Amino acid sequence: MLAVVQRVREARVDVGEKTVGAIGQGLVALIAVKSGDKPDTADYIANKLATLRIFSDDAGKMNLSVQEIGGAVLVVSQFTLYGETRKGRRPSFTKSAQPGEAEPLIERVVGSLRAQGISVACGEFGAMMQLALVNDGPVTIILNSDDRETPRRQA
């Protein structure tokens, strides 16, 4: 799973003329599911989103999470993050999960964030969406579930 995370002052996602999700201060998370991702992958991304310390404390240091500031998360599914561009000019999306595999994992990320007490707004899975946001900083972080640490074996 990949997530492009932006710290925002506000954001909204529209489908056609209708706003389907909006937040004030918090995070926008553009999330792509890779074929073969599992529920624990979604849990990992949700936990990272909830605890990523990229908001400023009183000293001006990035030391607080979206949870700690009482912010919200706008989750938008974006399979194109797995676009492969090494060959030719048209991206290939063969690494992206099919909708039937991806949608439940996106929903799991949303559910996990909500279970942690975070307010979550969402885009509309599979729809053509327009995203408007005010990036704060700007701060943009890429989360890749393939980069997670594996537990060390006990001797």
Side-chain angles (χ1 to χ4, degrees), residues 36-150:
D37 280 343
K38 303 286 184 223
D40 70 309
T41 310
D43 296 340
Y44 169 81
I45 292 293
N47 188 54
K48 278 291 196 181
L49 289 169
T51 60
L52 193 62
R53 294 171 28 184
I54 61 172
F55 291 91
S56 298
D57 62 15
D58 291 337
K61 293 189 181 214
M62 285 198 292
N63 205 22
L64 300 174
S65 69
V66 70
Q67 243 176 352
E68 293 169 313
I69 66 154
V73 178
L74 176 58
V75 173
V76 178
S77 176
Q78 188 175 350
F79 77 93
T80 60
L81 292 177
Y82 276 112
E84 179 61 53
T85 60
R86 281 187 249 183
K87 289 194 215 174
R89 294 192 176 120
R90 181 176 302 176
S92 168
F93 302 106
T94 57
K95 288 184 181 179
S96 297
Q98 293 297 312
E101 181 183 7
E103 188 172 15
L105 293 177
I106 295 293
E107 290 173 2
R108 186 169 177 120
V109 170
V110 170
S112 180
L113 288 167
R114 288 182 175 149
Q116 294 179 64
I118 297 170
S119 176
V120 181
C122 302
E124 185 178 308
F125 189 90
M128 182 63 75
M129 296 174 272
Q130 294 76 47
L131 182 62
L133 59 92
V134 177
N135 192 314
D136 185 20
V139 174
T140 303
I141 305 290
I142 298 171
L143 301 177
N144 184 342
S145 63
D146 290 343
D147 294 340
R148 63 184 148 169
E149 292 182 34
T150 55

